[in-house]
Amino acid sequence: MSRKIQTLDSDVVVIGGGIAGLWLFNALNKQGYKALLLENSTLGGGQTIKSQGIVHGGTKYTLSGNLTKAAECIAGMPDRWRRALAGDDDVDLRDVKILSEGHYLWSPGDIASRMTSFFASKALRGRVDQLKKEEDFPDIFRHKGFRGKVYQLNEIVLDIQTVIKALTKNFQSRILKVDWQQDTTVVTSNGEIDCIEHKLGDETLQIKAKKFIMTAGEGTVGLMKQMNISKPEMQLRPLHMVMLKTSHQEPLYAHCLGTKIVPRMTITSHPTEDGNWVWYLGGEIAEDGMERNPEEQIRVAKRELSVLLPWVNLDDADWATLFVNRAEPKQSKLLRPDAAFIHHSGNTMVTWPTKLALAPNLTDEVGKQLNIEPSGNEGFALPEGVTHPEICQPFWSEAFNKNA
Ligand SMILES: Cc1cc2nc3c(=O)[nH]c(=O)nc-3n(C[C@H](O)[C@H](O)[C@H](O)COP(=O)(O)OP(=O)(O)OC[C@H]3O[C@@H](n4cnc5c(N)ncnc54)[C@H](O)[C@@H]3O)c2cc1C
């Protein structure tokens, strides 16, 4: 017996509900496009929830002592996010929890003197301020054992789960959970996507769109195969992050300056359900830690912290690590891409934001290149009975339960 077909005409289908897809999906809907979002797992559960939540203004990328293209492109992002946080953007982030209004940069030892004049330069004015008085330092550096310099960067740190919740709440009826093995297929012809077919009871929902936009992070390559798209290529930059959960330490948001372009260590702090804090460690330690097993990586992290913050007592901490990939468009020599990325193939756009902070930049660029008018979306929704994906949970609790 042939299945009954129900057709849903849309302007844009966005595939992948991390920060890139969610921001884009929200903005398009706000602008009057009939936009749908398809997600095959949990919303935000890829790189987005595993990120450190820093809305970079690019200062991290100036650590080599000059302003790279990455730093220039990203410079406007903190202000852009602040507008969204104030409810003054297409995307409304008023419900988002700000973990820290600024990110700090500290330098142990002599690196400070080499960088001081650069940090004071005109190019960085307003982005990096040296904290001259000890009373302005974050608590952890107000210790007699601390010798270095502390700078404040114009970079907010956000509670990412609240970002995902804020981006999900307005247009839930337009978000579909898909399983490409079980209930959903792509129909292509002549290098274009004709439609996406989704099984719904004994009917087939045929989703048509003028544009299909992939924002599936690491999953983009699999999607491209399904759609017979061979370019662009993706690169994965693997990281071995470290987490420690403490009951008595203050939250800390800071990059430690090292001798490389990457900070020697980047520390962010995230609240846990049981009222503690997880310190999440990235930077050089995570990039160099891929060959180490979790025990070795934890040993290295403990040693690094005992050198960088020797007065901080972490004896009561629980430790865990996380292997995670950053998914980006391929660059020569695994270099970091420095702006949001878009590639057109027929009626599809393949995209990566390359950084959480650049999600609005990706949305703006897609907007410029979309070339379709919004057809108006009042009353537009998926049919009753479809499954909507859940919002991801922070992964800390699971990581520490494993170790218990
Ligand atoms: C450890 C770490 C720390 C980071 N810290 C920062 C930071 O502090 N600041 C910053 O700016 N950037 C940071 N980044 C980078 C940032 O996290 C990523 O650039 C950003 O989250 C990528 O978002 P995305 O939406 O493209 O991908 P993802 O968050 O990975 O989302 C992709 C989504 O697509 C879904 N999906 C996958 N395949 C399919 C499919 N076939 N069909 C449907 N859906 C699919 C996934 O389930 C997922 O929900 C960090 C990255 C890592 C790994």
Side-chain angles (χ1 to χ4, degrees):
M1 197 183 76
S2 62
R3 298 168 67 87
K4 199 171 146 212
I5 292 185
Q6 191 186 153
T7 303
L8 184 65
D9 283 310
S10 66
D11 296 322
V12 181
V13 170
V14 179
I15 310 175
I19 189 69
L22 282 166
W23 193 295
L24 176 62
F25 165 73
N26 264 267
L28 290 172
N29 273 299
K30 198 74 190 291
Q31 292 157 21
Y33 287 96
K34 288 192 174 79
L36 295 170
L37 177 66
L38 274 47
E39 166 60 52
N40 72 348
S41 178
T42 53
L43 294 165
Q47 296 159 86
T48 298
I49 194 75
K50 291 163 193 141
S51 79
Q52 293 195 275
I54 308 166
V55 179
H56 296 296
T59 323
K60 189 173 92 163
Y61 307 101
T62 65
L63 296 183
S64 57
N66 54 45
L67 276 172
T68 60
K69 198 171 159 217
E72 285 300 286
C73 173
I74 209 168
M77 289 299 116
D79 285 346
R80 178 67 189 276
W81 279 75
R82 280 183 206 280
R83 283 208 297 279
L85 289 162
D88 201 9
D89 189 278
D90 277 351
V91 164
D92 183 353
L93 296 186
R94 274 175 301 178
D95 291 343
V96 167
K97 183 167 166 195
I98 299 176
L99 291 175
S100 180
E101 279 291 345
H103 200 78
Y104 297 93
L105 181 71
W106 96 92
S107 59
D110 60 351
I111 301 161
S113 51
R114 195 159 57 77
M115 299 298 287
T116 307
S117 57
F118 174 64
F119 282 163
S121 70
K122 201 170 150 200
L124 287 186
R125 205 163 293 156
R127 289 206 227 172
V128 185
D129 297 313
Q130 188 186 343
L131 300 179
K132 299 262 167 58
K133 295 190 217 131
E134 200 185 304
E135 60 262 34
D136 294 334
F137 287 12
D139 284 351
I140 217 153
F141 297 115
R142 286 193 222 164
H143 189 276
K144 58 182 177 343
F146 177 64
R147 298 265 174 278
K149 289 197 161 54
V150 183
Y151 299 84
Q152 182 161 9
L153 312 183
N154 173 25
E155 299 182 346
I156 34 181
V157 188
L158 302 176
D159 180 325
I160 291 300
Q161 204 196 18
T162 64
V163 174
I164 297 161
K165 282 185 180 157
L167 291 175
T168 305
K169 83 172 188 205
N170 284 337
F171 304 105
Q172 239 174 358
S173 64
R174 300 173 189 171
I175 307 181
L176 177 66
K177 170 103 193 239
V178 293
D179 180 337
W180 299 101
Q181 263 75 50
Q182 300 284 333
D183 57 25
T184 310
T185 40
V186 187
V187 182
T188 58
S189 67
N190 303 323
E192 301 251 322
I193 300 180
D194 280 343
C195 68
I196 289 176
E197 291 192 340
H198 180 74
K199 284 187 198 154
L200 186 60
D202 51 13
E203 291 187 6
T204 297
L205 174 65
Q206 204 169 64
I207 300 172
K208 301 207 172 228
K210 293 170 192 139
K211 280 278 181 217
F212 295 84
I213 305 181
M214 292 186 208
T215 51
E218 197 171 342
T220 296
V221 160
L223 276 175
M224 285 168 59
K225 267 197 200 129
Q226 272 168 254
M227 296 168 187
N228 294 322
I229 298 173
S230 58
K231 283 205 171 113
E233 287 180 73
M234 179 176 81
Q235 73 182 23
L236 295 179
R237 272 197 299 120
L239 299 169
H240 193 179
M241 304 291 286
V242 180
M243 290 164 273
L244 61 102
K245 187 169 153 184
T246 73
S247 57
H248 69 275
Q249 286 303 337
E250 292 292 313
L252 174 60
Y253 304 91
H255 302 293
C256 175
L257 209 54
T259 51
K260 297 190 186 164
I261 295 178
V262 185
R264 181 163 169 183
M265 191 181 273
T266 293
I267 304 176
T268 48
S269 306
H270 307 266
T272 60
E273 272 181 357
D274 55 8
N276 293 316
W277 287 96
V278 168
W279 280 17
Y280 192 30
L281 315 182
E284 199 179 326
I285 187 172
E287 295 206 353
D288 293 351
M290 284 310 298
E291 303 299 320
R292 299 179 202 125
N293 65 34
E295 290 74 29
E296 287 165 340
Q297 181 70 338
I298 289 169
R299 254 197 313 278
V300 172
K302 285 182 177 171
R303 202 170 54 224
E304 271 290 82
L305 285 170
S306 73
V307 172
L308 299 176
L309 302 169
W311 61 91
V312 173
N313 182 350
L314 295 170
D315 286 349
D316 76 332
D318 291 331
W319 296 78
T321 71
L322 173 78
F323 286 99
V324 56
N325 290 322
R326 289 185 79 139
E328 304 163 337
K330 189 164 183 175
Q331 312 285 296
S332 59
K333 297 189 196 150
L334 271 188
L335 287 173
R336 292 143 188 281
D338 44 27
F341 175 92
I342 301 172
H343 174 91
H344 294 257
S345 176
N347 59 351
T348 306
M349 288 184 188
V350 179
T351 76
W352 287 279
T354 77
K355 280 165 200 73
L356 176 102
L358 285 165
N361 174 240
L362 178 69
T363 292
D364 293 347
E365 289 305 314
V366 168
K368 284 182 209 157
Q369 298 176 32
L370 202 52
N371 284 331
I372 53 175
E373 290 302 316
S375 61
N377 58 18
E378 216 183 297
F380 177 66
L382 285 156
E384 298 271 318
V386 299
T387 307
H388 303 292
E390 287 181 9
I391 294 173
C392 68
Q393 292 300 317
F395 57 96
W396 328 113
S397 43
E398 212 183 296
F400 289 105
N401 286 343
K402 249 189 255 161
N403 285 8

